[in-house]
């Protein structure tokens, strides 16, 4: 009878693709937060700060 100790599927490719996808998602969220934080301030708030 055939031994069943060998892997039927290699998970390495899927794990690497999921890691790359997660890295891209985190990068896009960081860029979005950066754009939101560096947005144009309203003119009224600048006068109040000075």
């Amino acid at each position: 009878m055939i031994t069943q100790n060998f892997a039927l599927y290699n998970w390495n490719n899927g794990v690497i693709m999921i890691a790359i996808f997660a890295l891209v998602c985190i990068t896009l969220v960081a860029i979005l937060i950066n754009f939101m934080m560096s947005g144009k301030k309203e003119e009224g708030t600048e006068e109040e700060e000075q």
Side-chain angles (χ1 to χ4, degrees), residues 1-3 7 11-18 20 24 26 31-35 39 41 43 46-47:
M1 189 165 173
I2 299 173
T3 60
W11 290 90
N12 291 335
N13 190 26
V15 170
I16 291 171
M17 292 181 115
I18 290 171
I20 291 171
V24 168
I26 291 170
I31 290 170
L32 180 64
I33 291 173
N34 188 17
F35 278 143
K41 293 184 178 178
E43 293 178 9
E46 290 177 4
E47 292 174 1

